[in-house]
Amino acid sequence: MHELSITESLLNTASDYARKNQAKKVTVLNLVIGELSGIVDESIQFYWDMISENSICERSILHFDKRKAIMICMSCQKEFELAGELSPCPSCSSMDLKFLSGNEFLLESIEIEK
Amino acid sequence: MVNSKIQIVENILSANDRIAEENLDFLNARNILAVNIMASPGAGKTSVILQTIKSLAPETRIAVIEGDTAPVTIDADKVSNLGIPVTQINTGGNCHLDAMMVRKGLQSLDLENTDLVIIENVGNLVCPASFKLGTHVSLVIASVPEGDDKPYKYPGIYRGIDCLILNKTDLLPYIDFDQNYFRKGIEVLNPGIPVFPVSCKTLEGFSVWTDWLCSKMQGK
């Protein structure tokens, strides 16, 4: 549900950059979404199709670069991907873990026509 | 026609984050500490707020912002009955508070003589995690009946908080809740944060939480 607010924010940011660069239209938005960001890409897409209508971003394509949450085991130093729920280190079963990444939630770039 | 690619690399919620920064500046200028309380529905947000008021007011001058999805004033009425200034933000069905809503809430309160603003977020363990409000302290209230596995199932919301209240500890004898397992999850997600086991019914542990909160106000 919070994806609607997020999608509105995305439309504002992309439209601002498009205007600043004298774009006629935006064709592609490249997004980076970490697994722990709590963002559901299908919901973003659903709202995007609705709210981008009649804007400079109409019919643009959302490209999602999904990044896994990466953890490091503090006992054996192994790095591994989090598979859904928080779970012990796959090699030594330790729960002494730290997050390295997975919170990303960025508009990396847009592709425009001038 | 020319095609080109524009590099941006901007946090999608940066507009919200900027307003959150302004909220923080607004509070700092008035020497007010603000607390964002997040939890699932029924964890005891309102109970903790009411008990915190009973423990600290009137020495600590408190105001409350209530976030609700519908114009139901049950929570706001309970706070108001204690003689505490309260404003309600109706999110119109939205599942979280954002920085702009909190800005409006702050503007609608008379904060001339206030030490502490408590913000009750919408009951939800997913959406509020993404939206900074501009508070000094963000916390989650977990409760014993929800189960000890919540940090493992909803890791996002435990990542950005400053402390955790474990409510309804009076129910521990009746419910299979492994405190060690629960705390291990919290420790992985957010190493070193204080955890306050409390019961709003028996008041066991409650003063440890309010003492910590007072130390935050004095440290400002």
Side-chain angles (χ1 to χ4, degrees):
Chain A
M1 174 77 213
H2 62 309
E3 277 84 0
L4 176 56
S5 326
I6 287 165
T7 311
E8 284 167 346
S9 188
L10 179 63
L11 180 62
N12 288 337
T13 307
S15 302
D16 281 353
Y17 276 95
R19 271 185 233 107
K20 271 183 224 161
N21 289 281
Q22 293 87 42
K24 280 209 185 78
K25 63 182 283 192
V26 177
T27 53
V28 178
L29 289 86
N30 294 305
L31 304 165
V32 179
I33 297 192
E35 186 164 311
L36 289 172
S37 66
I39 311 299
V40 181
D41 55 349
E42 285 161 3
S43 302
I44 299 273
Q45 184 69 60
F46 174 78
Y47 289 122
W48 184 253
D49 294 340
M50 286 198 304
I51 69 169
S52 65
E53 211 173 300
N54 300 321
S55 79
I56 197 167
C57 296
E58 184 168 20
R59 290 173 197 239
S60 56
I61 295 163
L62 297 182
H63 178 254
F64 296 98
D65 177 4
K66 291 203 234 179
R67 304 269 169 91
K68 284 274 182 193
I70 308 290
M71 312 199 62
I72 182 164
C73 172
M74 302 312 285
S75 302
C76 72
Q77 302 303 316
K78 183 183 169 64
E79 287 184 18
F80 62 97
E81 286 181 359
L82 183 69
E85 290 179 8
L86 192 56
S87 46
C89 170
S91 45
C92 75
S93 298
S94 166
M95 273 298 278
D96 192 5
L97 313 170
K98 264 194 184 153
F99 278 97
L100 291 180
S101 64
N103 286 329
E104 301 88 348
F105 182 35
L106 304 168
L107 175 58
E108 195 178 59
S109 62
I110 56 175
E111 293 167 33
I112 60 170
E113 280 177 13
K114 285 192 178 181
Chain B
M1 191 172 69
V2 186
N3 293 327
S4 62
K5 187 170 180 172
I6 318 280
Q7 287 297 322
I8 297 175
V9 193
E10 187 169 317
N11 188 323
I12 293 166
L13 284 175
S14 57
N16 181 76
D17 295 351
R18 276 195 292 275
I19 297 166
E21 283 295 319
E22 289 169 17
N23 288 346
L24 192 61
D25 291 344
F26 174 93
L27 292 159
N28 285 337
R30 289 159 183 78
N31 205 26
I32 299 168
L33 186 95
V35 181
N36 170 22
I37 297 191
M38 300 177 284
S40 58
K45 290 185 295 299
T46 310
S47 300
V48 168
I49 290 170
L50 294 174
Q51 192 52 53
T52 302
I53 291 168
K54 286 176 190 167
S55 302
L56 298 181
E59 290 75 17
T60 302
R61 298 163 300 178
I62 304 173
V64 174
I65 297 175
E66 285 285 349
D68 274 297
T69 55
V72 176
T73 59
I74 296 171
D75 293 346
D77 290 346
K78 288 178 185 166
V79 173
S80 187
N81 286 342
L82 295 178
I84 296 296
V86 57
T87 188
Q88 177 159 342
I89 302 172
N90 176 11
T91 65
N94 225 334
C95 50
H96 61 274
L97 293 179
D98 64 30
M100 186 53 96
M101 296 179 202
V102 167
R103 171 191 277 183
K104 287 180 186 153
L106 290 171
Q107 285 168 348
S108 70
L109 286 165
D110 177 10
L111 296 173
E112 199 54 46
N113 297 299
T114 306
D115 306 306
L116 174 65
V117 171
I118 303 176
I119 300 168
E120 178 170 351
N121 215 314
V122 178
N124 186 323
L125 280 183
V126 181
C127 311
S130 300
F131 295 84
K132 290 179 192 163
L133 304 183
T135 55
H136 304 84
V137 175
S138 285
L139 66 89
V140 165
I141 301 176
S143 69
V144 168
E146 290 168 51
D148 51 23
D149 57 359
K150 288 299 161 290
Y152 302 85
K153 288 186 171 171
Y154 299 89
I157 201 144
Y158 295 92
R159 294 267 286 142
I161 56 173
D162 305 294
C163 74
L164 183 117
I165 292 177
L166 177 61
N167 191 22
K168 309 190 191 182
T169 52
D170 49 296
L171 294 176
L172 280 169
Y174 313 105
I175 289 170
D176 292 330
F177 185 97
D178 183 340
Q179 283 207 68
N180 286 333
Y181 179 65
F182 177 80
R183 280 175 180 258
K184 191 70 219 174
I186 299 293
E187 191 56 28
V188 171
L189 293 164
N190 201 329
I193 62 160
V195 177
F196 304 113
V198 307
S199 163
C200 288
K201 204 166 184 66
T202 67
L203 300 188
E204 193 181 0
F206 210 85
S207 63
V208 184
W209 146 244
T210 49
D211 286 351
W212 183 87
L213 185 59
C214 287
S215 74
K216 286 281 163 191
M217 279 187 277
Q218 280 152 15
K220 263 190 66 54

